[in-house]
Amino acid sequence: MGNLFCFYQVNQSKVAIKRSFGKFEDVLEPGCHCVPWVCGKEIAGKLTLRIQQLDVKCETKTKDNVFVNVVASIQYRALADKAYDAFYKLTDPQSQIKVYVFNVIRSSVPKLDLDDTFEQKNEIANAVEEELEKAMSAYGFEIVQTLIVDIEPDVRVKTAMNEINAATRTRVAASEKAEAEKILQIKRAEGEAESKYLSGLGIARQRQAIVDGLRDSVLGFSVNVPGTTAKDVMDMVLVTQYFDTMKEIGASSKSSAVFIPHGPGAVHDVATQIRDGLLQGNAAN
């Protein structure tokens, strides 16, 4: 603004309050105006119409007795058609706004737990905006928007909340790990059971094949060599298997030594013992 030769300039987004001999006379819009100071006319002051922002930090207590600092951001502006009220009715608009913000926050937050305070920030902001709108409209101000930009608990409370969260996540991770190990053990047991079942089938089929082969050998030898009995053939087969076994034990580099009574006349005894053992096993089954 400027005052030169009784001409006064009002910049854009502002208004000026004109008075005559100390009494309000008019609100000057942006532009050039004649203000003859020699006639007692003067500019009492100026008023911006731009949106202004006021950050208010309020300390209060939640329902679960946790002290927090609530930071509210108030965006407001003066109304051109109510410039008289905005200029004359309030000495300090920002202080008045802070009072209403303190009043609403300190009456709303104590009704909520700490977790609910974080979740209901928008509800708190709406309550502050509604209260400010009703109060400040009478003084020529418009509340454009109200935001709760931060809620700051005590540092020790933050640490405790982080520890609780970490403990909860650790417990969930341990539960998931135990469940995974349980599934692995179940699958491993099922695999071992299936493996043993298939191994048993293989052994049973192997034994069946051995029995079938021995039967065919006995029958074929008895037919091709007259005068031999099934007992003679069985003794010969058992002795042959006995020597094959001894050969395999001796051929293996990692086999342990086996000491058994043995002599040229003991072949018949060995065959008898093997045959008796097989017969006793079949009788037991």
Side-chain angles (χ1 to χ4, degrees), residues 14 40-42 46 52 55 58 65 97 127-128 166 182 202-203 225 237 241 254 265:
K14 293 183 179 180
K41 311 294 183 180
E42 62 178 345
K46 57 184 179 180
Q52 303 179 69
D55 293 329
C58 176
N65 296 322
I97 291 174
V128 173
K182 175 184 175 182
I203 293 174
V225 182
V237 172
Q241 289 184 346
K254 297 182 180 180

Side-chain angles (χ1 to χ4, degrees), residues 197-272:
Y197 172 75
L198 295 176
S199 177
L201 289 178
I203 293 174
R205 291 174 180 175
Q206 180 187 16
R207 291 177 178 175
Q208 184 65 40
I210 293 173
V211 172
D212 293 340
L214 290 175
R215 183 180 65 247
D216 294 340
S217 298
V218 170
L219 293 176
F221 197 87
S222 299
V223 172
N224 295 325
V225 182
T228 59
T229 63
K231 178 178 179 301
D232 296 333
V233 177
M234 193 65 182
D235 290 341
M236 185 184 65
V237 172
L238 291 175
V239 171
T240 302
Q241 289 184 346
Y242 169 76
F243 282 110
D244 289 341
T245 303
M246 295 298 294
K247 180 180 178 181
E248 290 180 1
I249 293 175
S252 177
S253 61
K254 297 182 180 180
S255 63
S256 302
V258 178
F259 298 95
I260 60 174
H262 183 67
V267 175
H268 178 73
D269 295 336
V270 171
T272 302

Side-chain angles (χ1 to χ4, degrees), residues 1 4 23 26 48 56 60 96 101 122-123 131 137 174 178 182 184 193 209 219-220 258 269 284:
M1 296 181 183
L4 182 63
K23 182 180 179 181
D26 194 10
T48 180
V56 182
T60 185
Q96 187 73 17
V101 172
N122 291 336
E123 286 76 2
E131 184 68 21
S137 61
K182 175 184 175 182
L184 288 176
L219 293 176
V258 178
D269 295 336

